[in-house]
Amino acid sequence: MEQIEKTFETRELTISMGPQHPATHGVLRLVLTLDGETVIKCTPHVGYLHRGVEKLGENRTYFSALPLTDRLDYISSMNNNVGYVNAVEKLFGIEAPERAKFIRTMVAEMGRISSHIIWLGTHVLDIGATTPFLYAFRERERILDLFEALCGARLTVSYPRIGGVRNDVSQEFLDELYKFVLEFPSRMDDYETLVTENRVWRKRTVGIGVISAEEAVNWGLTGGMLRGSGVCYDVRKHAPYDAYDKVEFDVPLGKNGDCYDRYIVRMGEMRQANRIIKQCIEKLPTGPVMADAPKFTLPPKDKILKDMEHLIHQFVLITKGPIVPEGEIYSATEVPKGELGFYFVSDGTGKPYRMRVRAPSFVHVSILPKLCEGGFVADVIANIGSIDIVLGECDR
Amino acid sequence: MKPLEIADKIKEKFQDEVLDVKEFREQVAVTLKKDRILEICRYLHDDAALCFDYLIDVCGVDYAGKKEKRFEVVYHLYSIKRCHAIRLKAEVPETNSEIDSVTVLWAGANWHERECYDMFGIIFKGNQDLRRVLMPEDWEGHPLRKDYPVKGPEKEWPGFQAVLDRAKRFKEFEWHG
């Protein structure tokens, strides 16, 4: 026995996980140094999906940069659009009409559900449960169908526009959505039955990837990552935009800051999102869906086709952009991943002088070494799943 | 606290450092000299009444030909405890484009500073991990500078040819199963 132990030699092993790895949710590459099963060092490499959205945005007018934001977080493009148009409206100094604000809140929460549901599906799939994944896509499919009915696009919607939304919602859409809203809580109950108290699930997530409240704030985490550690910070509550100050909702909080608490928080968020949608449908005011600010918003399509003046106006706005006051603005919105911020520097022309996207996923990837080091290789997968990243947004 | 009051507090404490205070749409930006930025940030971070515990963002802006000093490093700070925000802007010249890192105060600043270095070539003194983050490590130039072409550089990145060659090699590989 002694002889065998002497001849064994152990050494550290460096492996590259990704960029093509199903559990890295895109093109994230981690270089892991392992001592047996334990991760000693973890170095994330990002940038494989870098398309230069900020640079492109600086060379386009405010109107034509909107579709770029769809491609940031491509599984909840609605929320990105809402974030972008809110920032631009703040810069222009215009405000969307009440009905548009409610519609935006409603579709943003739909985006939140569809994003969280795909997170739930893939996160539990990574850890080994296939069933919730298959059911999760049923709900997502319904939301995407509703998006299609609303604006014709399923993924890259570009539905919110600067000064309002592209078109008004129809009664059929609202009826269908209301049906979904009534059904959704029972679906959530199903998922919770499958996952929440599952012994395997709990063993894999409780006490894994722990981050304390102070650390979470210090690292600049937002969204479910921060609230999982018990810090109550939600842009929707701290600096309400759109119609969030007119609807009631709670902010679910975790306690321990581990993967399990983050799961609980996001599950709670989905129920709250459902609640918000319901209130939005019930309270939806009547009126226009586009702001009356001809200097900053595009004229309605039917007028462009009939009226020369509007046609010229549209042409000038699209090609040259509006005349924007000089200044700079930072505007944040709560997207499913966390705080999405847009920072604009305007020099008075129709194009932003500087467009900065503060992407939550970018910050969240940076904390991976802290979460993974000292844990097992299998926990790396659990951690990646629970931080809920989209690389399109991280790399921009 | 109102953002203008915060700006006044900074002005009071660091008289010579503050160059300008600007308000636009209820957001206040304080322009600073770069030399004592770490000290100012430490004050904002530690002071009990200000308590800026959350660094939202660090980014660079290139004012080539528009301002005397070419770059600006912009810090967005927020206090979750006190619910107030401020924007700090530090002027960085083109020659000797260095500024102190704030990673000792906010751990989350690391990647933002890395990105700023990657995109603008601003060096953050004291950042232990200052590597490129979004662009490949052997990339030439800093893409978000205003003199960098939108379509990319004329010369192709050498790493691209290496990738193509490797892909070709793998294609020729015959599987003897």
Side-chain angles (χ1 to χ4, degrees):
Chain A
M1 203 51 197
E2 216 172 66
Q3 188 62 37
I4 293 171
E5 268 171 23
K6 261 182 198 165
T7 51
F8 262 131
E9 191 191 324
T10 61
R11 64 187 173 92
E12 286 170 6
L13 185 70
T14 304
I15 58 164
S16 173
M17 182 180 162
Q20 283 92 15
H21 189 289
T24 56
H25 293 223
V27 282
L28 171 69
R29 175 167 172 247
L30 298 172
V31 176
L32 302 169
T33 307
L34 307 176
D35 177 16
E37 279 271 318
T38 317
V39 179
I40 306 171
K41 197 164 179 285
C42 165
T43 319
H45 290 265
V46 298
Y48 291 92
L49 220 56
H50 180 58
R51 294 145 298 174
V53 167
E54 292 177 10
K55 183 90 177 170
L56 288 171
E58 285 164 21
N59 290 284
R60 274 154 201 274
T61 60
Y62 289 94
F63 299 106
S64 48
L66 174 68
L68 293 176
T69 60
D70 285 321
R71 277 86 182 162
L72 290 172
D73 177 359
Y74 38 76
I75 59 173
S76 60
S77 51
M78 203 61 105
N79 300 65
N80 291 271
N81 292 154
V82 169
Y84 178 80
V85 296
N86 263 297
V88 176
E89 279 171 10
K90 222 175 185 180
L91 178 68
F92 287 2
I94 57 173
E95 208 168 321
E98 203 72 344
R99 186 176 172 88
K101 281 185 174 182
F102 270 88
I103 294 173
R104 272 194 218 165
T105 311
M106 188 166 75
V107 292
E109 292 308 312
M110 286 165 73
R112 194 179 310 278
I113 290 181
S114 78
S115 168
H116 276 356
I117 213 116
I118 209 169
W119 155 80
L120 173 75
T122 49
H123 184 27
V124 293
L125 180 72
D126 288 346
I127 283 180
T130 323
T131 322
F133 175 74
L134 299 172
Y135 283 104
F137 269 77
R138 177 188 56 188
E139 258 70 65
R140 184 175 155 79
E141 204 55 32
R142 281 193 71 181
I143 290 183
L144 293 188
D145 283 345
L146 283 168
F147 279 164
E148 196 179 357
L150 180 62
C151 61
R154 291 161 67 84
L155 282 172
T156 48
V157 284
S158 289
Y159 173 65
R161 290 290 156 90
I162 298 163
V165 292
R166 196 179 104 199
N167 55 293
D168 205 347
V169 290
S170 65
Q171 193 55 46
E172 292 84 53
F173 169 81
L174 289 177
D175 293 343
E176 200 57 38
L177 183 59
Y178 203 73
K179 241 191 263 168
F180 171 81
V181 165
L182 293 181
E183 260 178 49
F184 189 66
S186 70
R187 306 287 197 205
M188 284 299 292
D189 292 340
D190 290 350
Y191 297 128
E192 299 236 18
T193 319
L194 280 169
V195 184
T196 308
E197 290 304 322
N198 189 313
R199 266 177 68 195
V200 182
W201 172 255
R202 285 189 69 112
K203 287 236 162 173
R204 290 294 305 274
T205 53
V206 174
I208 304 295
V210 182
I211 183 147
S212 72
E214 289 81 35
E215 280 173 328
V217 174
N218 195 256
W219 275 88
L221 305 184
T222 44
M225 287 291 283
L226 183 65
R227 293 192 284 272
S229 299
V231 183
C232 185
Y233 173 67
D234 189 321
V235 184
R236 292 175 294 172
K237 286 277 186 202
H238 277 234
Y241 52 95
D242 284 350
Y244 283 107
D245 49 351
K246 296 183 190 74
V247 290
E248 279 172 31
F249 65 100
D250 302 321
V251 180
L253 290 178
K255 250 189 220 152
N256 310 318
D258 54 7
C259 289
Y260 186 73
D261 277 26
R262 294 196 272 274
Y263 157 79
I264 294 290
V265 165
R266 293 208 178 97
M267 292 303 264
E269 266 178 22
M270 274 198 267
R271 288 183 190 271
Q272 294 303 326
N274 197 52
R275 210 175 133 199
I276 296 172
I277 298 173
K278 190 160 182 246
Q279 290 176 55
C280 282
I281 301 174
E282 282 160 0
K283 290 181 184 172
L284 193 66
T286 50
V289 290
M290 210 46 176
D292 183 26
K295 279 185 179 168
F296 296 113
T297 56
L298 299 177
K301 197 81 194 170
D302 56 325
K303 281 192 182 162
I304 296 169
L305 296 175
K306 285 180 196 156
D307 192 353
M308 192 65 190
E309 245 169 63
H310 284 103
L311 181 68
I312 294 168
H313 186 57
Q314 149 114 355
F315 181 76
V316 171
L317 275 183
I318 292 288
T319 50
K320 274 191 170 170
I323 297 162
V324 183
E326 247 176 83
E328 47 191 34
I329 204 97
Y330 175 82
S331 161
T333 48
E334 187 80 19
V335 298
K337 270 78 195 172
E339 175 179 340
L340 175 76
F342 283 93
Y343 171 58
F344 285 109
V345 178
S346 156
D347 59 350
T349 59
K351 295 169 184 174
Y353 187 74
R354 171 86 167 100
M355 171 176 145
R356 160 79 178 162
V357 185
R358 188 258 184 220
S361 295
F362 184 72
V363 183
H364 292 172
V365 175
S366 75
I367 194 142
L368 258 180
K370 198 176 156 39
L371 295 179
C372 296
E373 279 166 16
F376 290 127
V377 186
D379 297 340
V380 174
I381 308 291
N383 282 325
I384 295 173
S386 96
I387 64 173
D388 190 16
I389 45 165
V390 164
L391 270 298
E393 182 186 54
C394 172
D395 297 345
R396 278 157 286 149
Chain B
M1 209 182 277
K2 289 265 157 51
L4 273 176
E5 289 172 32
I6 300 167
D8 285 342
K9 266 194 126 173
I10 301 171
K11 238 183 184 171
E12 215 173 275
K13 186 108 183 166
F14 302 93
Q15 249 175 9
D16 304 338
E17 296 298 305
V18 178
L19 296 168
D20 190 20
V21 177
K22 240 186 205 164
E23 196 188 8
F24 180 72
R25 307 247 191 262
E26 289 162 12
Q27 296 185 359
V28 172
V30 184
T31 313
L32 303 160
K33 289 180 191 167
K34 66 160 185 167
D35 297 328
R36 285 171 71 192
I37 186 77
L38 184 60
E39 221 174 301
I40 296 164
C41 285
R42 195 183 299 268
Y43 166 67
L44 292 172
H45 181 265
D46 294 347
D47 190 86
L50 297 170
C51 191
F52 280 102
D53 44 8
Y54 167 37
L55 175 77
I56 302 174
D57 190 22
V58 179
C59 69
V61 184
D62 181 6
Y63 288 105
K66 292 214 163 196
K67 286 193 181 177
E68 193 191 332
K69 296 205 170 136
R70 183 168 174 183
F71 299 112
E72 244 172 33
V73 177
V74 184
Y75 300 83
H76 285 98
L77 304 179
Y78 189 80
S79 170
I80 293 177
K81 247 185 214 154
R82 305 260 181 269
C83 295
H84 52 220
I86 191 96
R87 177 185 310 132
L88 303 180
K89 304 201 291 179
E91 291 192 335
V92 179
E94 190 177 4
T95 49
N96 183 25
S97 55
E98 288 184 338
I99 189 166
D100 283 325
S101 161
V102 291
T103 40
V104 282
L105 301 172
W106 298 284
N110 181 13
W111 274 43
H112 290 310
E113 289 181 354
R114 276 178 69 187
E115 194 193 341
C116 192
Y117 161 72
D118 192 355
M119 294 296 160
F120 293 94
I122 297 166
I123 291 163
F124 289 85
K125 277 184 291 177
N127 188 326
Q128 305 293 328
D129 190 31
L130 203 64
R131 292 173 288 129
R132 280 183 183 271
V133 57
L134 292 179
M135 307 305 285
E137 271 155 37
D138 54 348
W139 192 266
E140 278 173 31
H142 300 284
L144 275 183
R145 287 190 176 189
K146 286 286 171 189
D147 51 10
Y148 192 92
V150 189
K151 286 180 179 173
E154 294 275 305
K155 211 178 89 193
E156 207 170 61
W157 174 55
F160 184 55
Q161 197 53 47
V163 170
L164 287 184
D165 289 346
R166 205 181 322 155
K168 208 176 161 196
R169 229 176 38 239
F170 284 147
K171 243 184 203 168
E172 286 159 5
F173 179 79
E174 272 180 40
W175 184 256
H176 302 290

